[in-house]
Amino acid sequence: MSALEEKQKQPKKGVLKRMLADVSKIRFQLFAVVGMALVIIACNILSPQIIGSVVGKADDFIRSDGADASAFLKSLAVPLAVLAGIYAVYSFFSWLKMYTLNNVVSRRFTCQLRIAMADKISRLPVSYLDKTKTGEILARVNNNVSMMGNSIHEAIDVLLMGVLQLTAIAVMLFYENVPMALAVILLVPLSTVISTVIARKSMRYYDKMWKSYEDLYSCVEEDYGGIETVKSYNMEETMRKKHKKINDGLTEVNRRAVFLSSAVQPVISFTNHASFIAVCLLGGLLAVSGTLEVATVVTVVLYSKNFSGPLMQIANGLSSIQHVGSAAKKVYGFLDEEEMSVETELLPEKIAGNVEFKDVDFSYTEEKPLIEHLSFSVRAGEKVAIVGPTGAGKTTIVNLLMRFYDPRSGKIEIDGFDISEMNRENVREQFSMVLQDTWLFEGTVYENIAYGRDGVTKEEVEAACRASYCDRFIRLLPKGYDTVITDSTSLSGGQKQLLTIARAFLSDKPLLILDEATSDVDTRTEILIQKAMDKLMKGKTCFVIAHRLSTIVNADMIIAVDNGKIVDIGTHKELLEEGGFYAKLYNSQYSRISQPPPEAEN
């Protein structure tokens, strides 16, 4: 990928600002978390004070002669009870805060992101989905969003628990004793600078790590999706090596990223322990010299020990933010992809089905023109066949008609309405489709046939199946129309094709597209499919793409396309008589057959 393409894929605004904007949608839960954090911080501030006072009383008891031991122990009952209560409150609110962050904040945050990404996919042009690997999209929706959701509470901990608690403890340290407070705090800037430098360096490895995850998802999707082809060509070992190469790369990048990010915590820990040693030495000297009371020394030592907790939280948070930053760039880059234009104009409720291409130009890439100056018109109810060699632009014409793509110039009209000005969903509602690649989802036969139509009755479904010659074999299935179609359901390719024809029968749209619908089936099934399609095409404007030219000899119009241009147009008989491109294509297809090719009926 070029530097320009990579830059274009980056989110338009800073990822952390975007994340904060998304997190603000759950601000009420965050306010609750802030309250819990303040309670926890208060517990951390109060407990050293109470422990220090208890130690001070013990020191006074030791120093005094003839003190009443029982009275001393009774004097400890209240502060120890209060201390136990503080620890109980601390434990409860620590659990409640973590529960709220994990089960409310993180999950709702990730849920909103995945919903936004699912909505985004529906608004992306087909061109984006053509050039983007499925595994890359899966990695962003799954891994990247999960990383953002799982780590968001750590980022909140950095902002709330870490910073607030450090501030509160620093204030209490200076309140107790300035020299000892300085001994604790002076080493913090050094560790912070070192940790920030390490964290920044680790970020570029996390960027590479997420890219490796996308490659891994794509490789797995490609391997498992084409497992039959892989096995038939004995390519298991090649795919295993490909998997190994990607995994080895992922392992190496992950090792480097983890090595750097895991160094942050030891740096913080070292500086904290160094300051702790300094505090203990300084406190001991001040206590022995009589400059400072033992109670104050103990209180400051406990505060310095508690200082390590927030520092560790910040260290872990910095490491987590590197994960989140890399993952968020992928997610927000996806959400910032250019969307399809939105039109609100609608076609009339009832259309006749007249179609016209007016000087249409189109190419998938600017440097390689595909369709140039394409013009033709089809009257309602006519059967139009589009033929030509592979890559000539046959399927592209259908893609333009369905508004999967828009022309770079020119117009496509239905009943005189420019479809580029019409709502895409409304345009597609006018079409039924039967494609070469049958698409059935995991559900009952009934649900598959009724797909796309609400409120359809069982009688209507059965009537469509009878018209498409699949009612009989459906009733032979274990549960008839209630049989669930899965990968293990024994349906032939021809039977699946008949089910998609039944679906088209049921949709009953004015425009019909048949794309290689009779390829790769046996002769007997082809006859059934052809009979079903003949019935399906009655009264509809039909666009038929076929390699088997014998199936389209009776078309009202045959359009021969080569390199995106119409080279022949007319009826089968007219084009044969002209002896042009279509005649050569047709005759070459039957040149090795002893029987003469079928001719159009009079």
Side-chain angles (χ1 to χ4, degrees):
M1 181 181 294
S2 68
L4 177 61
E5 289 174 326
E6 183 64 35
K7 184 178 180 180
Q8 290 174 340
K9 281 184 172 289
Q10 296 301 318
K12 296 175 182 177
K13 297 192 296 183
V15 292
L16 293 182
K17 290 183 179 179
R18 293 277 292 273
M19 284 184 64
L20 289 175
D22 285 336
V23 169
S24 68
K25 298 173 184 177
I26 48 175
R27 55 186 175 276
F28 295 112
Q29 290 87 348
L30 292 182
F31 289 149
V33 171
V34 170
M36 299 172 200
L38 291 175
V39 172
I40 294 169
I41 292 171
C43 292
N44 280 332
I45 296 300
L46 291 173
S47 56
Q49 290 286 333
I50 295 174
I51 293 173
S53 68
V54 170
V55 172
K57 288 183 179 182
D59 182 55
D60 292 340
F61 175 76
I62 294 171
R63 293 176 183 274
S64 62
D65 295 329
D68 187 355
S70 61
F72 168 69
L73 293 176
K74 286 180 181 180
S75 68
L76 296 181
V78 173
L80 290 178
V82 172
L83 187 63
I86 289 173
Y87 285 144
V89 171
Y90 173 86
S91 300
F92 174 76
F93 278 92
S94 295
W95 167 82
L96 186 60
K97 178 180 73 73
M98 190 59 65
Y99 176 84
T100 304
L101 285 172
N102 285 338
N103 293 280
V104 178
V105 178
S106 294
R107 291 186 182 181
R108 187 168 298 182
F109 175 81
T110 57
C111 181
Q112 289 174 342
L113 269 182
R114 288 196 171 107
I115 290 173
M117 296 180 80
D119 290 341
K120 180 72 177 186
I121 290 174
S122 67
R123 299 191 300 271
L124 288 174
V126 175
S127 57
Y128 174 83
L129 302 176
D130 284 343
K131 67 185 180 183
T132 307
K133 296 178 181 178
T134 303
E136 182 178 337
I137 297 175
L138 289 174
R140 295 187 182 195
V141 174
N142 185 24
N143 283 29
N144 296 149
V145 173
S146 292
M147 174 56 68
M148 292 171 68
N150 291 339
S151 301
I152 194 66
H153 66 278
E154 294 186 24
I156 292 173
D157 273 350
V158 171
L159 296 174
L160 294 176
M161 294 297 294
V163 175
L164 291 178
Q165 195 163 207
L166 277 179
T167 303
I169 293 175
V171 170
M172 295 306 297
L173 281 170
F174 280 101
Y175 173 78
E176 294 291 337
N177 186 265
V178 174
M180 294 183 69
L182 291 173
V184 175
I185 293 172
L186 284 178
L187 290 174
V188 171
L190 177 62
S191 65
T192 303
V193 171
I194 296 174
S195 300
T196 303
V197 171
I198 294 173
R200 285 179 178 175
K201 287 187 175 182
S202 69
M203 187 170 182
R204 70 173 182 266
Y205 289 109
Y206 282 111
D207 289 338
K208 293 179 180 178
M209 185 176 72
W210 293 123
K211 178 62 173 63
S212 297
Y213 272 120
E214 290 176 359
D215 293 340
L216 183 62
Y217 269 82
S218 297
C219 184
V220 170
E221 191 267 338
E222 177 186 89
D223 192 3
Y224 294 164
I227 189 65
E228 292 181 357
T229 303
V230 172
K231 287 184 175 294
S232 64
Y233 282 90
N234 293 320
M235 294 293 288
E236 292 94 335
E237 182 62 22
T238 301
M239 294 305 297
R240 188 192 68 78
K241 290 179 180 178
K242 186 176 180 180
H243 278 266
K244 185 177 185 301
K245 182 178 179 181
I246 294 174
N247 275 293
D248 287 346
L250 177 59
T251 300
E252 177 61 21
V253 172
N254 187 65
R255 182 187 67 79
R256 295 185 181 187
V258 172
F259 174 78
L260 285 173
S261 62
S262 61
V264 174
Q265 187 169 335
V267 169
I268 297 290
S269 179
F270 175 80
T271 55
N272 183 70
H273 283 96
S275 65
F276 184 71
I277 293 172
V279 167
C280 290
L281 290 174
L282 180 60
L285 291 173
L286 294 173
V288 170
S289 64
T291 308
L292 201 63
E293 294 182 357
V294 173
T296 303
V297 173
V298 171
T299 301
V300 172
V301 168
L302 289 174
Y303 276 136
S304 68
K305 192 65 178 175
N306 287 344
F307 210 67
S308 64
L311 283 173
M312 287 300 187
Q313 286 177 331
I314 291 176
N316 292 331
L318 287 172
S319 176
S320 177
I321 287 172
Q322 305 315 307
H323 291 252
V324 173
S326 299
K329 281 195 296 185
K330 297 286 187 180
V331 171
Y332 291 127
F334 175 81
L335 291 174
D336 286 340
E337 287 287 345
E338 185 176 353
E339 299 179 2
M340 297 181 291
S341 59
V342 178
E343 293 80 24
T344 58
E345 294 293 322
L346 301 178
L347 289 167
E349 189 172 343
K350 295 286 186 181
I351 67 167
N354 299 294
V355 176
E356 186 170 5
F357 278 63
K358 293 183 175 180
D359 198 29
V360 170
D361 287 347
F362 176 76
S363 63
Y364 292 104
T365 57
E366 292 184 5
E367 62 274 9
K368 188 178 179 181
L370 178 59
I371 290 178
E372 297 180 288
H373 308 298
L374 179 62
S375 298
F376 66 89
S377 59
V378 182
R379 293 192 298 271
E382 286 188 335
K383 175 183 176 182
V384 181
I386 306 172
V387 301
T390 300
K394 302 187 299 298
T395 302
T396 301
I397 292 174
V398 171
N399 288 338
L400 290 170
L401 191 58
M402 294 282 289
R403 285 208 71 191
F404 293 143
Y405 296 90
D406 287 327
R408 294 187 181 274
S409 64
K411 291 182 179 181
I412 302 172
E413 294 181 348
I414 295 179
D415 284 4
F417 294 90
D418 185 353
I419 64 172
S420 66
E421 299 175 356
M422 303 292 116
N423 177 268
R424 284 181 177 81
E425 288 74 17
N426 179 244
V427 170
R428 292 167 190 165
E429 284 174 356
Q430 314 305 321
F431 290 87
S432 299
M433 296 186 72
V434 180
L435 305 179
Q436 176 182 359
D437 297 325
T438 56
W439 182 79
L440 299 173
F441 59 88
E442 186 168 334
T444 65
V445 172
Y446 174 89
E447 291 169 340
N448 269 276
I449 296 171
Y451 182 78
R453 269 201 62 180
D454 296 327
V456 66
T457 65
K458 186 176 181 181
E459 289 73 20
E460 289 176 311
V461 171
E462 291 177 353
C465 290
R466 286 193 295 270
S468 56
Y469 304 102
C470 57
D471 177 73
R472 182 176 179 181
F473 78 76
I474 290 174
R475 295 187 182 279
L476 295 176
L477 294 173
K479 294 183 180 180
Y481 283 86
D482 294 326
T483 301
V484 176
I485 296 176
T486 63
D487 292 338
S488 60
T489 306
S490 56
L491 291 178
S492 68
Q495 289 173 327
K496 292 178 180 178
Q497 192 65 274
L498 289 172
L499 291 179
T500 62
I501 294 174
R503 182 190 292 164
F505 258 111
L506 194 64
S507 65
D508 194 27
K509 303 295 176 61
L511 296 162
L512 175 65
I513 293 173
L514 304 173
D515 188 356
E516 306 291 350
T518 60
S519 63
D520 300 327
V521 296
D522 60 84
T523 304
R524 181 178 177 182
T525 305
E526 181 181 350
I527 293 172
L528 281 178
I529 293 175
Q530 194 62 54
K531 288 173 66 178
M533 289 195 300
D534 289 341
K535 292 166 67 175
L536 177 62
M537 288 187 286
K538 287 182 180 179
K540 296 179 174 62
T541 305
C542 304
F543 293 84
V544 182
I545 299 175
H547 283 306
R548 299 185 188 184
L549 302 185
S550 62
T551 62
I552 49 90
V553 295
N554 293 316
D556 297 299
M557 180 193 302
I558 296 174
I559 300 174
V561 184
D562 189 29
N563 292 324
K565 298 179 180 179
I566 293 180
V567 291
D568 276 331
I569 185 167
T571 65
H572 172 75
K573 186 176 182 180
E574 290 170 348
L575 296 180
L576 283 184
E577 290 174 352
E578 290 177 5
F581 178 83
Y582 173 79
K584 293 177 182 178
L585 189 68
Y586 183 81
N587 291 325
S588 67
Q589 194 168 104
Y590 294 96
S591 61
R592 297 183 181 180
I593 302 177
S594 58
Q595 296 294 326
E599 297 295 337
E601 296 176 0
N602 295 326

